[in-house]
Amino acid sequence: MTKENKTKYVILGLLLENSLTGYEIREIIKEPTMYFWHETDASIYPTLKVLLREGYVTSETIFVGKRKKEQFTITERGRKEFERWYASPPDIDRRRSEFLLKLYFSTSTRKNELKHHLTTRLRTCHDLLEAFKLDAEKIRKEEPHKTFWLELLQNALAHCELEINWLEKQLKHL
Amino acid sequence: MTKENKTKYVILGLLLENSLTGYEIREIIKEPTMYFWHETDASIYPTLKVLLREGYVTSETIFVGKRKKEQFTITERGRKEFERWYASPPDIDRRRSEFLLKLYFSTSTRKNELKHHLTTRLRTCHDLLEAFKLDAEKIRKEEPHKTFWLELLQNALAHCELEINWLEKQLKHL
DNA sequence: TGCTGCATGTAAACAGTTACATGATTAG
DNA sequence: CTAATCATGTAACTGTTTACATGCAGCA
């Protein structure tokens, strides 16, 4: 299996429906709906350049008011490449949760720290849950045809709730 | 935030209780209990060399029968470094699920491929569930004092079941 | 004799992160 | 006027992966 820059496919996928700027792509990836895909800001622009060079996208400079933007549009070649990727079997998730790793190494001698990690996590989980709910509302209003996105969010929400319950249970035991 | 080689801490953590060889560490990381931490084989040995150089571990050559092994033992310095890491706030999970990314880009025009991805995932989830169950049994028998590991596995199991239900629901809708 | 599992590694290539850099526009 | 947000990037570094490499032990 050769290495593939996966960032390419997120971008191509997002461009399927609309032409976008690098900044807009960054913002979309940051939204809660995209909870399963993390990307650092710095990777977007260079990847767009690569896609341009490979003929998967074209770009044009547009003006919105006085603001200058570089807008990218997917080409036929880009669409083909996206479909090729989509049909191929997805890579296994290479998960690395430092949080769970710490839990794995928890013992009675590290009880205080464990408690701290659990409560911190609980808080972030609650925040995440709220973010998911808000995002779901937004989709229901603005893009109600995206039913599958709602299913994905519903799934994320359920996992989140499960984790909250588990965390609360563990905290009670301490 | 400076980058930290996290592999170091998995190894140190595993060495807290027993002296181990590189091979043994590799095998432990592959077990289902460690589902939240992925590591490529090739990273173990070089990291052990680094830990040795930094004085976090010592090594000795042992013989089991005629077989030669290099066994690593954590030092006091190594234990301190582990505790420092343990107490520090865990990094946020940088998740990248190519599977969910494909789901995100699913539309009616890609229904067949979607179905294929869902059924494949369903199968791996079932396999995973079985692996978790077997592993839990093993821990109950061999290391019954590791109650927290069982809690972790219980959690993983619940998430797994949740995903299976979700996948089945989505498949029904197609 | 040949296969499987044990056991330990290296080198090159690539992906991803951090930190740095710049400047324009808009809302308060 | 000034802070926040929009907008686009680059360079250096480090982490991670792939592919390659070797050889012994035990068993059928």
Side-chain angles (χ1 to χ4, degrees), chain A residues 95-107 110 114 117 121 166, chain B residues 5-14 16 28-29 33-39 82 85-86 88 90-91 93 148-149 152:
Chain A
R95 196 173 173 189
R96 275 192 168 195
S97 167
E98 201 177 1
F99 168 70
L100 286 172
L101 185 63
K102 290 190 181 190
L103 293 204
Y104 179 86
F105 290 128
S106 295
T107 60
R110 285 183 276 274
L114 171 59
H117 289 321
R121 182 71 164 203
W166 186 83
Chain B
N5 183 349
K6 301 289 166 57
T7 304
K8 280 165 61 170
Y9 301 105
V10 199
I11 295 178
L12 287 179
L14 291 173
L16 288 175
I28 293 170
I29 294 174
T33 329
M34 275 280 219
Y35 66 93
F36 48 78
W37 198 264
H38 149 268
E39 196 74 62
F82 174 86
W85 168 79
Y86 182 87
S88 70
D91 231 8
D93 296 9
F148 206 63
W149 283 11
L152 277 173

Side-chain angles (χ1 to χ4, degrees), chain B residues 47-59:
Chain B
T47 306
L48 279 166
K49 287 266 151 74
V50 173
L51 289 171
L52 207 55
R53 206 169 55 227
E54 292 171 344
Y56 296 140
V57 300
T58 56
S59 80

Side-chain angles (χ1 to χ4, degrees), chain A residues 13 36 38-39 83 85-86 88 91 95-98 102 104 106 110 117 149 151 159 166 170, chain B residues 36 38-39 83 85-86 88 91 95-98 102 104 106 110 117 149 151 159 166 170:
Chain A
F36 48 79
H38 149 269
E39 197 74 61
E83 296 301 340
W85 167 79
Y86 182 87
S88 70
D91 231 7
R95 196 173 173 189
R96 275 192 168 195
S97 167
E98 201 177 1
K102 290 190 181 190
Y104 179 86
S106 295
R110 285 183 276 274
H117 289 321
W149 283 12
E151 290 293 331
H159 279 286
W166 186 83
Q170 301 312 318
Chain B
F36 48 78
H38 149 268
E39 196 74 62
E83 296 300 339
W85 168 79
Y86 182 87
S88 70
D91 231 8
R95 197 172 172 191
R96 274 192 167 194
S97 168
E98 202 178 0
K102 290 190 180 189
Y104 179 85
S106 294
R110 285 184 275 275
H117 289 322
W149 283 11
E151 291 292 332
H159 279 287
W166 186 83
Q170 301 311 317

Side-chain angles (χ1 to χ4, degrees), chain A residues 8-71:
Chain A
K8 280 165 60 169
Y9 301 105
V10 200
I11 295 178
L12 287 179
L14 291 174
L15 289 176
L16 288 175
E17 285 191 66
N18 303 301
S19 297
L20 297 164
T21 68
Y23 193 80
E24 285 166 337
I25 290 167
R26 262 173 53 175
E27 296 307 300
I28 293 170
I29 294 174
K30 275 181 196 158
E31 278 172 29
T33 329
M34 276 280 221
Y35 67 93
F36 48 79
W37 198 264
H38 149 269
E39 197 74 61
T40 26
D41 291 356
S43 59
I44 309 290
Y45 294 106
T47 307
L48 280 167
K49 286 267 152 74
V50 172
L51 290 171
L52 207 55
R53 206 169 55 228
E54 291 171 346
Y56 296 140
V57 299
T58 56
S59 81
E60 60 178 322
T61 305
I62 56 159
F63 289 88
V64 176
K66 282 182 182 176
R67 214 180 269 282
K68 196 177 161 191
K69 298 182 184 193
E70 183 133 38
Q71 192 172 259

